[in-house]
């Protein structure tokens, strides 16, 4: 079939070239944005007297019918069309006749595709932010339940100091809050309208770009037409924000995998999020968490892919830019899937506080507190550190722990030791004493929870009022 753009060429391209050139397979998911954008365009054209009110009504009605039929499945996207923009215009003209051909006045597919992508990513941004906030809330709820559950905190994956499971969960909640911040920040730059930039240079028609932008809920317009049609930095930013979000999710997933193992048994994942092995009947695999960890790689790949596509492209639009969509769509789909599985997985997992406490009791994680005890009695920290280390070594040789070592033994190392040392190295005391802001004490975790809850409430409020 001859192309809509047939003119100087006959438009009879080779079918292999057609297939290669076409993007409808993946850009059809922007049909809502494309149609809504076109409705606003018709409204602007009529407001400026470029088309008549009757033309506008016919276009709007035709477009509304197409939207309805696509939503209901009555109309199917024709995979033979080059892209979703061509498809909608073609069906419109078939349905309402020559008036349909007026829609593309004072615009180009170059500003149209940039508009559709910005609108699409804007709504994805909101959906992903909503899920991220939901997940942060789940972590905060867990923290509320476990602000007194003692577990070992690690550095170098070696038991280091006691922390609460609640404090641990809040660390991830804080990361997610920054992810939310990044999404909100990149949304600001997504939410600038390129429509009216036309092919690259603007238009000779007396258009009103700001009216069209406002109708579509944009905060402003791109102020240089060549920039408006040719940059995709907003999509790169979104991919970067999603990559960081996935980085956080992958770290948490790794912990869940470890904690669910027989070596740790800090948590038990519910059956609904655990898989078995086809050969080993005892297996309870944390496949979902492993997949979140694995899928992080593809989101990073999507980011690198788009950066590489854009590198060195001359202004303005180039067909290379058609390659912008699949990666960013894939990243959005992937992140949403990951959050949708992590949320119920954490809501239903069992936290084995007894196992956490046992692990905390056997790793000398109060050795720092033992040194601090001596410091508080007047010994310089380095000397106290040395004595504390020697006592741990002694315990290891004799199969004891600091809590069970007799006072006489302590006194052989320093006369500063007294009965109250046992209170000082009690794990609960060790945790409770870390009262510094942001520390692991119950009071500090409560403060963190209150702050995160307030931030989440604010985020949801802002989201609720946006487009
Ligand atoms: N399918 C194209 C894309 O995704 C739409 C813009 C085409 N513009 C053009 N001048 N060929 O980028």
């Amino acid at each position: 079939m001859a192309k809509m753009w047939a003119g100087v060429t006959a438009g009879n391209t080779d079918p292999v070239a057609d297939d290669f050139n076409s993007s409808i397979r993946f850009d059809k998911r922007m049909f809502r944005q494309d149609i809504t954008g076109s409705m606003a365009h018709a409204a602007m054209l009529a407001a400026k007297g470029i088309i008549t009110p009757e033309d506008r009504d016919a276009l709007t009605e035709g477009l509304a019918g197409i939207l309805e039929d696509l939503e209901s499945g009555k109309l199917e996207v024709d995979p033979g069309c080059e892209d979703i923009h061509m498809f909608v215009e073609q069906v419109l003209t078939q349905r309402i006749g020559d008036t349909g051909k007026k829609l593309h006045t004072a615009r180009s597919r170059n500003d149209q595709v940039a508009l559709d992508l910005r609108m699409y990513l804007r709504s994805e941004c909101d959906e992903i932010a909503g899920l991220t906030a939901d997940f942060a809330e789940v972590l905060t709820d867990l923290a509320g339940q476990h602000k007194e559950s003692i577990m070992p905190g690690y550095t170098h994956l070696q038991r280091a100091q006691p922390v609460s499971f609640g404090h641990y969960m809040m660390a991830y909640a804080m990361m997610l809050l920054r992810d939310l911040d990044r999404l909100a920040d990149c949304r600001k730059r997504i939410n600038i309208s390129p429509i009216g930039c036309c092919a690259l240079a603007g238009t000779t028609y007396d258009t009103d770009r700001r009216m069209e932008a406002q109708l579509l809920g944009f905060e402003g317009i791109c102020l240089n037409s060549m920039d408006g049609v040719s940059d995709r930095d907003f999509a790169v930013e979104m991919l970067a924000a999603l990559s960081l979000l996935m980085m956080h999710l992958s770290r948490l997933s790794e912990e869940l995998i470890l904690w669910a193992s027989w070596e740790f048994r800090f948590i038990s994942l519910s059956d609904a999020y655990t898989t078995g092995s086809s050969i080993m009947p005892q297996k309870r695999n944390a496949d979902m968490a492993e997949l979140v960890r694995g899928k992080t790689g593809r989101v990073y790949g999507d980011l690198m892919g788009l950066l590489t596509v854009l590198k060195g492209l001359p202004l303005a639009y180039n067909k290379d830019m058609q390659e912008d969509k699949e990666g960013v769509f894939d990243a959005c789909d992937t992140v949403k899937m990951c959050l949708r599985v992590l949320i119920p997985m954490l809501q239903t997992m069992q936290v084995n506080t007894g196992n956490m406490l046992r692990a905390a009791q056997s790793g000398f994680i109060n050795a720092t507190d033992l040194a601090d005890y001596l410091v508080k009695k007047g010994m310089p920290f380095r000397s106290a550190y040395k004595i504390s280390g020697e006592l741990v070594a002694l315990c290891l040789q004799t199969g004891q722990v600091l809590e069970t070592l007799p006072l006489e033994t302590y006194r052989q190392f320093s006369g500063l030791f007294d009965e109250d040392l046992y209170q000082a190295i009690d794990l609960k005391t060790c945790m409770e004493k870390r009262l510094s802001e942001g520390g692991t004490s119950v009071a500090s975790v409560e403060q963190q929870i209150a702050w995160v809850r307030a931030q989440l409430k604010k985020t949801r409020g802002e989201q609720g009022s946006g487009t």
Side-chain angles (χ1 to χ4, degrees):
M1 190 173 69
K3 298 290 177 306
M4 280 174 93
W5 41 255
V8 67
T9 76
N12 294 322
T13 40
D14 183 283
V16 176
D18 276 347
D19 206 34
F20 187 61
N21 197 36
S22 144
S23 55
I24 197 149
R25 205 177 66 256
F26 49 85
D27 64 22
K28 64 181 178 196
R29 65 160 85 193
M30 302 195 301
F31 73 88
R32 284 184 200 90
Q33 290 73 22
D34 195 72
I35 293 173
T36 320
S38 288
M39 286 174 168
H41 192 61
M44 185 280 290
L45 290 177
K48 296 299 289 178
I50 301 168
I51 61 171
T52 65
E54 294 73 36
D55 285 342
R56 175 199 57 208
D57 294 346
L59 289 168
T60 311
E61 238 173 79
L63 287 164
I66 296 173
L67 182 58
E68 204 183 303
D69 293 350
L70 281 171
E71 298 270 20
S72 71
K74 218 168 112 188
L75 174 66
E76 267 182 39
V77 170
D78 173 7
C81 266
E82 191 177 317
D83 55 30
I84 190 65
H85 327 293
M86 290 297 210
F87 171 75
V88 171
E89 198 183 320
Q90 185 180 298
V91 177
L92 183 67
T93 306
Q94 279 161 6
R95 289 190 176 185
I96 70 168
D98 276 354
T99 311
K101 296 182 183 168
K102 295 188 182 176
L103 178 63
H104 213 50
T105 314
R107 83 172 179 188
S108 146
R109 263 188 306 157
N110 296 353
D111 55 346
Q112 192 180 353
V113 70
L115 175 80
D116 292 3
L117 186 60
R118 283 174 183 268
M119 285 169 69
Y120 186 86
L121 292 185
R122 182 175 70 183
S123 86
E124 288 297 292
C125 212
D126 292 344
E127 205 178 326
I128 293 169
L131 286 166
T132 307
D134 289 347
F135 191 39
E137 208 167 299
V138 170
L139 296 176
T140 310
D141 289 346
L142 271 170
Q145 292 155 26
H146 291 286
K147 49 193 183 207
E148 291 182 58
S149 310
I150 300 176
M151 66 180 288
Y154 299 80
T155 63
H156 312 271
L157 205 58
Q158 303 273 332
R159 289 173 190 166
Q161 289 178 348
V163 294
S164 73
F165 185 63
H167 190 54
Y168 219 122
M169 290 298 100
M170 288 317 288
Y172 283 102
M174 296 290 177
M175 299 177 212
L176 293 184
L177 271 195
R178 288 193 298 280
D179 290 318
L180 279 171
D181 218 25
R182 270 185 283 273
L183 284 170
D185 192 55
C186 90
R187 190 193 194 280
K188 283 188 220 154
R189 282 175 292 279
I190 291 176
N191 204 24
I192 300 292
S193 168
I195 198 70
C197 290
C198 300
L200 76 161
T203 181
T204 53
Y205 291 98
D206 177 24
T207 53
D208 186 346
R209 290 191 55 204
R210 287 180 193 274
M211 170 193 171
E212 203 167 334
Q214 207 180 10
L215 285 174
L216 295 169
F218 282 97
E219 277 299 321
I221 61 170
C222 303
L223 292 174
N224 178 292
S225 61
M226 295 180 79
D227 174 42
V229 290
S230 73
D231 207 351
R232 296 290 184 268
D233 55 356
F234 61 91
V236 174
E237 272 193 64
M238 173 121 178
L239 282 164
L242 296 181
S243 293
L244 283 173
L245 173 55
M246 286 302 292
M247 184 266 285
H248 293 146
L249 299 185
S250 79
R251 292 184 74 172
L252 176 58
S253 296
E254 169 66 9
E255 313 244 42
L256 295 172
I257 296 160
L258 280 174
W259 293 342
S261 72
W262 275 90
E263 283 67 19
F264 281 78
R265 284 196 289 166
F266 285 1
I267 57 163
S268 310
L269 297 174
S270 81
D271 285 356
Y273 303 98
T274 308
T275 53
S277 151
S278 55
I279 171 169
M280 297 166 281
Q282 82 283 11
K283 291 297 280 292
R284 290 182 59 84
N285 296 334
D287 282 26
M288 311 306 141
E290 290 172 38
L291 274 171
V292 172
R293 191 177 58 183
K295 282 174 188 292
T296 302
R298 65 190 286 159
V299 176
Y300 291 2
D302 292 329
L303 169 63
M304 282 319 293
L306 183 56
L307 277 170
T308 312
V309 164
L310 296 174
K311 179 185 177 296
L313 280 186
L315 299 184
Y317 178 84
N318 301 270
K319 192 72 172 206
D320 312 47
M321 289 159 72
Q322 182 164 285
E323 292 291 314
D324 60 359
K325 283 173 274 302
E326 280 164 294
V328 73
F329 292 165
D330 175 70
C332 292
D333 293 349
T334 303
V335 169
K336 285 191 291 184
M337 264 195 299
C338 291
L339 287 166
R340 285 197 181 113
V341 75
L342 280 174
I343 289 169
M345 192 163 102
L346 267 85
Q347 274 170 330
T348 56
M349 78 183 181
Q350 191 187 307
V351 182
N352 305 325
T353 51
N355 291 343
M356 288 180 174
L357 182 62
R358 264 187 293 283
Q361 283 162 339
S362 50
F364 302 99
I365 61 180
N366 43 7
T368 317
D369 297 82
L370 184 64
D372 287 342
Y373 170 87
L374 291 174
V375 171
K376 279 174 195 149
K377 299 228 164 175
M379 189 182 284
F381 181 77
R382 271 296 151 229
S383 318
Y385 171 94
K386 186 157 179 286
I387 289 179
S388 182
E390 285 164 2
L391 282 158
V392 169
L394 178 71
C395 285
L396 285 170
Q397 276 162 20
T398 56
Q400 297 180 83
V401 289
L402 293 172
E403 287 90 331
T404 57
L405 215 55
L407 187 55
E408 309 87 77
T409 315
Y410 275 108
R411 284 203 198 271
Q412 284 162 18
F413 286 79
S414 165
L416 294 173
F417 282 121
D418 233 321
E419 201 55 53
D420 59 349
L421 84 92
Y422 295 103
Q423 171 64 26
I425 63 169
D426 178 72
L427 289 183
K428 210 168 153 52
T429 319
C430 299
M431 204 182 77
E432 272 310 291
K433 286 255 174 77
R434 291 198 158 68
L435 278 161
S436 54
E437 257 192 279
T440 189
S441 71
V442 174
S444 159
V445 172
E446 275 168 354
Q447 252 174 29
Q448 298 173 45
I449 293 175
W451 185 79
V452 167
R453 289 221 165 105
Q455 296 298 310
L456 288 175
K457 206 167 148 197
K458 229 165 73 185
T459 311
R460 292 200 198 278
E462 277 162 17
Q463 246 195 14
S465 62
T467 331

